[in-house]
Every structure is written in C-alpha cells, then in structure tokens.
Amino acid sequence: MAEADKKKLGLWSSTSLVVGNMIGAGVFLMPAAMASFGSVSLLGWVFSAIGSFFLARVFSNLSKLLPQGTGGPYAYTRHGLGDFAAFLVAWGYYLATSCANAAITISFVSALSTFFPALATNTLAAVLTGLCAIWLLTWVNTRGVATSGKVQLATTILKLLPLLVIAIGGLFFIRAENFHPFNNTNTSVWGAITATATMTMFSYIGIESATIPSGSVADPGKTISRATMLGLLIATLVYVLGSISVMGIIPNKALQHSVTPFADAAVIMFGPSARYWVSAGVAIAAFGALNGWTLVQGQVPFAIAKDKLFPAIFTRLNSKGVPYVGMIISGIIISLFMSMNYTKALVEQFRFLLLLSVFTMLVPYLFSVTSYILIRLEKKSLQSRGWVPAIVLGMLAFVYTLWEIAGAGQSSVFYGFILLMAGVPFYVWGIYKKKVSED
C-alpha cells in the first residue's frame, strides 16, 4: 500500500463509517416501538431494506462515476443540477447533521446513566458529560481521517457484538406464540406494512456516509461502492435478525411497554447482569455514531467552501489535512443544540429542530438520485443500452425517497422546506462574493 493511502480510509474503515452512522442508539428501541403493530412489522424492515438497496446502488454507482466527489450528495447534485440545488442540499444537510449529533449525544449520556445514575438527575453533570463527548471526538477527528477511521472501526465492532449476540443467539430462544398477533392494527396488512416501513426507513439514513469524505478514501471508485453495499448488508442483517429475536423472545404485550427491549431480551437469555453489557453497547453505539457524523460534518462545509459557495474560512486545513475550522464551528453548534435539551424552556425548540432535520436529510437523497440519472445520460449515449438500467434504478430510488419524504409527516416537510429556503440569502451573498472576487 502506498504511504499516502495509509493516511486514508480503506474498505473496512469506510464500511464502519456507513454501518456506524446508520446503526445509532435508536436501533436498540425499535422492536418496542414496532411491537404494537404485531409481527407484520418485520415485513416493514424488509420493505425499507429493498428501498434502501436502490438508494445504495445509486450512491455506489455515483462513487464510480465521480470518484473524487468530496461532499457526497452535495458534489453529485452540483454536477447534475447545478450550484443552487447543491447549495440547498449542503445547507440542509449541515444543519440536519448538527441536530442529529446533538440527539446522539443525548442518547449517549442517557445510556451512561445506567452506570452513573447521577446523569439522569443532575443536569449540570449531564451537560458536562455531553460536552466532553462532543469535544473529545472533535479533537479525534482533527487528528486526521486515519485516526477517526480507526476509532470508527473499533466502536462499530464493539457496538455490533451485543447486537449480533442477541440477533443470532436469540434465534435459539424464540417462541412461536410471541409472534401473535400478526397484524395488531385496525388497518389492512398493506396499511400496517406501510406504517412500519415508514418508521424503519429512517434507520437507513447514513447510507451515503462513505461518499462524503471521498477525497480522503483510498481508491474511492472501488472502495466507496463496496463499503456502501457491504454496510447496507450488515445493517440489514442486524435490523431484521435483531427484531425477529427480540419479538420472538419477549411476549408482545410486554414488548410494547419495554423501554430497553434488547436489554430485556438479554436478561431472559443470560440473566440480570446482561442488562449492563447491552447498556454499554447502547453507549458505544451512540459514541461511534457521533464520531462518524463528526467526520462527515467537517467535510460537507469544506466541499461547499472550496466551490466558493460558503465562507472561505471553512477551507482551512491543519497539518493533518483536516478542515478543522468547520469541525470546531460544528462542535459549537452541536454543543448549543445539545444544551437546549437540558434547558426546560428550550426543550420544545430542540424537538422542533429535530423535526426539521428529518426532511432536510432526505432532500439530498432525492436530488442525488435525480443527478444520477442525468450524469448517466451524460456519460452514456442514448444509443447505448447502459442508460436503460440507470433510469429504471433511478426511478425506483426516486419513488422510494419521495415516499420517505411523505412518511416524514406534514409538519416536517412544511417547516423543513422553510428551513431550506432560509438558506437562499446566504447563497445569494456567496454568489455576490464570488463575482466580486472574480472581477
């Protein structure tokens, strides 16, 4: 391996970025959230996995078409749809990941409260712990992508261990009667599948993660494509097998009221002490996801600033080649958002920000899929057969993503759109500064 490649993300580090960003602390709560629907919810996982496969194939193919597209969805959208659409993607994505990182930090502190009960009652201790996690990982990520990649790989392995133990080992403890009723809703089977797939599809957000630091990935044309598909496979196995095991181990009525379904399943399988190592897995899952999204969040404003659509300060690199200014500014924003949750007067505002982030995380997918079709048509002549599968794949991914956006809810779409439009003045200012500098 060349010396330069040793400082870049390889296949396993890139895969761990995809898996680590998709599998956060929330996956440990999903079986309980879906229990009220009945075992039909397992089909929701299958449905969302199929839709996510279309998206993964699009990002996989885009990484081959534009291997140096640092910024992922931003770079693809800029190539296919132009500067304005790309700016909207980056603007929304940057704010959404800030909200998501704040929520992940809160999940991390909550998981640690199992071992340190004071974190559940002492606001100051909780805030300080969250700030320590944010700034520790900000520092780690400024040490270079190779360092953050190693942390990501380690935390991904550690978070997968308890999940896989229950997902695979739990298959030997399931009882068929716990899967009844099949459809516990007042709607049709299709209606129940649609409702549960709407919930599960958000567990696949982050599937694009390997594409964002592409300039820091060794042999990006091959590595990103493989990492994206491998990450999807690993996450899907964990989601589906984990849900089957937990639903099969815990009776449906009890599961509906469980606040720690994976921990409760572990207790049935291995005894009371198992609750602690599952809680440790939740903490590690949150810590790893925070590390991965911190890496991503530094790369997005760097990519926009390089194209002179964002303040030039975001292009500054340290001796390790890391856009450290963007990470520091991101750390400040995340710290503020996280602290809002622990201030009673601002809790509702924080929840509102999370609502906005759902829509702004999905718009980049929609624009990337559209850009994929245009880029494939640009690369292939209409006489070539290659454009037909591209359009079919693109249309399937487009319909799935549009359905995801509809599933986000009216409030999320409405206020998310307003948030995107709020970025327009910044775009105009950026274009003005760009014109002035060129004259």
Side-chain angles (χ1 to χ4, degrees), residues 379-390:
K379 300 278 184 181
K380 294 260 186 185
S381 67
L382 292 179
Q383 284 72 35
S384 170
R385 293 181 180 178
W387 67 274
V388 176

Side-chain angles (χ1 to χ4, degrees), residues 116-439:
F116 307 101
L119 294 176
T121 56
N122 189 315
T123 300
L124 180 61
V127 170
L128 290 176
T129 302
L131 291 174
C132 286
I134 292 167
W135 290 103
L136 171 63
L137 290 175
T138 298
W139 176 79
V140 166
N141 277 273
T142 61
R143 306 310 298 162
V145 292
T147 301
S148 54
K150 289 174 183 176
V151 171
Q152 190 68 8
L153 182 58
T155 55
T156 298
I157 292 171
L158 289 173
K159 85 164 73 172
L160 285 176
L161 286 176
L163 286 169
L164 288 173
V165 166
I166 295 172
I168 297 174
L171 296 175
F172 298 96
F173 290 82
I174 61 176
R175 301 175 63 180
E177 59 267 27
N178 289 338
F179 291 106
H180 296 291
F182 175 69
N183 181 5
N184 197 33
T185 68
N186 294 321
T187 61
S188 64
V189 170
W190 175 247
I193 292 173
T194 301
T196 53
T198 301
M199 294 169 61
T200 57
M201 62 190 173
F202 295 116
S203 297
Y204 288 97
I205 286 178
I207 200 169
E208 76 289 353
S209 296
T211 69
I212 292 172
S214 61
S216 302
V217 175
D219 193 7
K222 291 182 179 179
T223 302
I224 294 173
S225 175
R226 293 172 180 173
T228 300
M229 299 309 299
L230 187 57
L232 173 67
L233 176 62
I234 293 171
T236 299
L237 286 175
V238 168
Y239 290 154
V240 175
L241 292 182
S243 295
I244 290 172
S245 292
V246 173
M247 286 185 169
I249 293 172
I250 304 174
N252 183 268
K253 290 291 184 183
L255 184 58
Q256 289 183 41
H257 301 288
S258 173
V259 293
T260 54
F262 272 86
D264 292 345
V267 167
I268 294 172
M269 292 169 65
F270 305 110
S273 62
R275 182 178 302 278
Y276 292 97
W277 56 260
V278 172
S279 294
V282 176
I284 294 168
F287 191 77
L290 182 60
N291 177 69
W293 284 112
T294 299
L295 186 157
V296 163
Q297 202 170 21
Q299 295 288 331
V300 172
F302 171 69
I304 322 169
K306 276 203 311 180
D307 296 327
K308 298 182 179 179
L309 297 175
F310 229 47
I313 193 173
F314 287 95
T315 62
R316 292 185 184 177
L317 303 175
N318 63 12
S319 59
K320 303 285 186 180
V322 175
Y324 71 100
V325 174
M327 287 189 177
I328 291 172
I329 293 174
S330 297
I332 293 171
I333 295 172
I334 297 164
S335 297
L336 290 173
F337 285 171
M338 187 271 298
S339 299
M340 285 174 67
N341 185 69
Y342 292 103
T343 305
K344 288 184 179 179
L346 297 175
V347 170
E348 287 305 315
Q349 287 88 333
F350 175 70
R351 290 176 180 168
F352 179 68
L353 287 171
L354 284 179
L355 183 71
L356 296 182
S357 69
V358 173
F359 174 72
T360 51
M361 287 289 281
L362 294 173
V363 168
Y365 292 176
L366 198 70
F367 283 17
S368 295
V369 168
T370 305
S371 299
Y372 169 66
I373 296 173
L374 295 173
I375 292 168
R376 283 304 299 260
L377 290 174
E378 174 189 308
K379 300 278 184 181
K380 294 260 186 185
S381 67
L382 292 179
Q383 284 72 35
S384 170
R385 293 181 180 178
W387 67 274
V388 176
I391 288 182
V392 172
L393 174 62
M395 288 304 298
L396 289 170
F398 184 90
V399 169
Y400 174 71
T401 308
L402 198 61
W403 183 67
E404 276 191 312
I405 291 174
Q410 293 181 3
S411 295
S412 179
V413 173
F414 176 74
Y415 290 112
F417 177 77
I418 290 176
L419 179 65
L420 284 183
M421 293 302 101
V424 172
F426 294 96
Y427 173 77
V428 173
W429 175 252
I431 293 297
Y432 169 74
K433 295 288 288 184
K434 186 177 180 180
K435 294 283 186 184
V436 169
S437 64
E438 291 173 352
D439 291 340

